[in-house]
């Protein structure tokens, strides 16, 4: 048994039993961050704050939401929005946060790609981040079902049909996921459980894994410089703070983080109070009706790029392309064959590849919201093929890249 002495304070009593000083050092005061970074490195903290907003607002909505096909729509659109004091505010916060969190995720993801933050021992940071992206996507989809409006119902119908896997006709799997032949009470209940319990727990666990994965390789920097963190942290602790290339996470880097978070929250609450309609699909203000198909079914904006990769092709080829798009980002650390850890603007052909990928995904997102007809269908097909070609070409582009 460990040796305990008479505590001199509450902090000392807790420290002897929970090692809070050691935890504080590991998590903050001796967790070292490079100095040569920019505001884009604050996206992780913004994501944590946005997730907290989703949790808090979700708890308040949960107090009045009823997960039943006969009452779900009214509990959201009448009880919460009209009868509960400030219910509209919590719904706006939750809806805007659910949309904005993906904007920040994409910024965070492309920042990592641009600066090569997935290489040289940082593979687990990238993999845990991509697992978070997939889990957030599942959380968003399950939450989109809960208002039980027209687009909720038909989006659920279309997305779950994907699991039939085309000509394999795995209809039994689709029925197992839904709990019925069509989305109904069993479907709503199990997606409610996923949204409020299982997936949030998974997200919290993956956030812990993502943060833990940063401990050994440390955070990358905007120059891709290889920093000796032990030597630089010793220099900092010896008093040469200006000469050291690193700073403490708490409270040096954290204070910079909070500055960026403050700017983000101004933008966020502007959307909540003045421009929230972008997060609430007008079609979803009609109750779910299994006998009336919407003229144009589409997912939320953050899924449009992958939806457009599925849509231009025949069923089987489209499913293969869709599956390709879902897993290919995870393989990035192995597809990029270059040893260089440097920003894309110093990597020649990779820089062109990066900007082409970003533009292509923006085009896919724009086309995914439009009906698949005429010129829009052609542009969507070209963009989908371009996405696949870019990823197939990446190993060849980076294989012979000159060292920088």
């Amino acid at each position: 048994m460990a040796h305990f002495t008479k505590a001199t304070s509450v902090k000392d009593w807790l420290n002897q039993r929970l090692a809070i000083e050691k935890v504080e050092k590991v998590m903050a005061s001796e967790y070292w961050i490079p100095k040569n970074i920019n505001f884009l490195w604050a996206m992780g903290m913004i994501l944590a704050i946005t997730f907290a907003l989703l949790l808090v607002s979700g708890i308040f909505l949960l107090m009045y939401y009823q997960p039943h096909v006969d009452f779900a729509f009214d509990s959201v659109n009448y009880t919460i929005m009209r009868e509960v004091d400030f219910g509209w505010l919590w719904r706006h916060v939750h809806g805007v946060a659910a949309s904005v969190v993906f904007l920040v995720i994409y910024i965070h993801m492309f920042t990592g790609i641009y600066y090569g933050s997935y290489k040289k021992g940082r593979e687990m940071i990238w993999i845990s981040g991509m697992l978070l992206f997939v889990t957030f996507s599942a959380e968003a989809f399950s939450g989109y079902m809960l208002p039980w409006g027209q687009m909720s119902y038909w989006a659920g119908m279309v997305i779950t049909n994907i699991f039939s896997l085309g000509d394999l006709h795995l209809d039994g799997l689709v029925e197992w996921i839904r709990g019925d032949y069509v989305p109904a009470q069993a479907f709503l209940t199990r997606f409610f459980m996923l949204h409020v319990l299982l997936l949030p727990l998974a997200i919290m666990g993956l956030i812990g894994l993502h943060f833990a994965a940063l401990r050994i390789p440390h955070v990358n920097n905007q120059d891709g410089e290889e920093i000796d963190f032990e030597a630089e942290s010793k220099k900092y602790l010896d008093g040469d703070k200006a000469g050291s290339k690193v700073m403490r996470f708490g409270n040096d880097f954290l204070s910079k983080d909070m500055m960026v978070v403050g700017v983000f929250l101004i933008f966020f609450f502007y959307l909540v109070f003045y421009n929230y309609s972008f997060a609430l699909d007008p079609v979803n203000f009609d109750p779910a009706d299994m006998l009336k198909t919407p003229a144009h079914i589409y997912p939320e904006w953050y899924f449009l790029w992958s939806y457009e990769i599925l849509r231009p092709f025949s069923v089987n080829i489209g499913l293969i392309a869709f599956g390709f798009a879902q897993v290919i980002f995870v393989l990035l650390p192995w597809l990029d064959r270059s040893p260089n850890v440097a920003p894309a603007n110093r990597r020649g052909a990779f820089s062109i590849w990066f900007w082409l990928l970003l533009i292509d995904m923006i085009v896919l997102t724009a086309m995914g919201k439009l009906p698949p007809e005429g010129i829009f269908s052609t542009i969507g097909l070209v963009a989908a093929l371009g996405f696949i070609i870019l990823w197939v070409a990446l190993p060849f582009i980076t294989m012979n890249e000159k060292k920088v």
Side-chain angles (χ1 to χ4, degrees), residues 14-42:
L14 289 170
N15 190 48
Q16 290 188 48
R17 288 154 180 81
L18 299 176
I20 57 174
E21 287 185 359
K22 186 174 183 179
V23 172
E24 188 274 334
K25 285 182 179 180
V26 170
M27 299 293 285
S29 64
E30 292 187 11
Y31 175 37
W32 303 101
I33 305 292
K35 285 182 178 178
N36 58 334
I37 56 178
N38 57 46
F39 75 96
L40 292 170
W41 268 255

Side-chain angles (χ1 to χ4, degrees), residues 119-251:
K119 304 177 77 171
K120 291 188 73 173
R122 294 189 173 98
E123 294 90 347
M124 276 307 302
I125 301 173
W126 180 257
I127 291 170
S128 60
M130 292 312 302
L131 289 174
L132 270 170
F133 173 66
V134 170
T135 314
F136 263 110
S137 298
E139 176 75 350
F141 173 68
S142 62
Y144 195 60
M145 300 302 102
L146 301 188
W148 210 240
Q150 267 290 72
M151 198 57 77
S152 295
Y153 180 89
W154 287 101
M157 178 77 81
V158 170
I159 296 301
T160 51
N161 272 335
I162 290 174
F163 291 92
S164 66
L165 299 182
D167 286 349
L168 293 178
H169 293 293
L170 300 181
D171 300 323
L173 176 60
V174 176
E175 291 167 16
W176 179 77
I177 292 169
R178 293 174 180 167
D180 207 333
Y181 295 109
V182 294
Q185 183 58 53
F187 176 85
L188 180 61
T189 304
R190 59 188 54 182
F191 275 78
F192 173 73
M193 179 278 296
L194 287 171
H195 188 71
V196 303
L197 178 64
L198 193 59
L199 291 172
L201 288 175
I203 288 171
M204 286 186 273
L206 287 169
I207 288 172
L209 174 62
H210 193 57
F211 194 79
L214 286 162
R215 288 294 303 158
I216 294 176
H218 291 279
V219 175
N220 192 17
N221 57 83
Q222 63 182 1
D223 297 323
E225 181 184 356
E226 191 72 40
I227 294 174
D228 185 340
F229 280 87
E230 282 194 25
E232 295 301 322
S233 60
K234 186 176 186 303
K235 192 185 295 184
Y236 183 100
L237 293 171
D238 288 343
D240 187 12
K241 294 183 179 181
S244 175
K245 294 180 179 179
V246 299
M247 57 182 167
R248 301 178 193 266
F249 175 75
N251 291 319

Side-chain angles (χ1 to χ4, degrees), residues 75-84 87-88 91-92 280:
S75 70
V76 172
N77 291 287
Y78 292 97
T79 305
I80 290 172
M81 291 297 288
R82 300 185 182 185
E83 296 180 359
V84 177
W88 60 269
R91 190 186 180 193
H92 289 180
L280 303 173

